[in-house]
Amino acid sequence: PGAIKSLGLGDNNLFSDPQLSSAFHLGSSSPAINKGVKLSSQYPALDHAGKARVKNSKPDPGPFEDH
């Protein structure tokens, strides 16, 4: 992990199984939950299913906000 940060990759990179429950949906115990990055000027308000893109303080990565 220290080497990864020294490369400038930051805390939002996931190097483990995202535990997808179905096509591009995160499972309930996924380590990727709330690991997305919100780019304020480029971020859509809704996900691909038409639900609010951010449910907590950070979005889920990928096309759907599941948790």
Side-chain angles (χ1 to χ4, degrees):
I4 290 169
K5 284 189 179 189
S6 70
L7 293 173
L9 297 177
D11 292 325
N12 289 73
N13 291 289
L14 183 66
F15 295 95
S16 59
D17 179 1
Q19 301 175 15
L20 298 177
S21 63
S22 61
F24 302 107
H25 288 273
L26 298 176
S28 61
S29 61
S30 172
I33 293 171
N34 295 328
K35 297 292 184 187
V37 176
K38 184 176 181 182
L39 303 173
S40 60
S41 65
Q42 302 173 7
Y43 215 77
L46 303 175
D47 69 5
H48 285 283
K51 295 187 288 183
R53 191 63 182 109
V54 179
K55 287 186 182 176
N56 298 306
S57 61
K58 290 185 176 180
D60 292 342
F64 301 104
E65 181 68 24
D66 291 310
H67 303 279

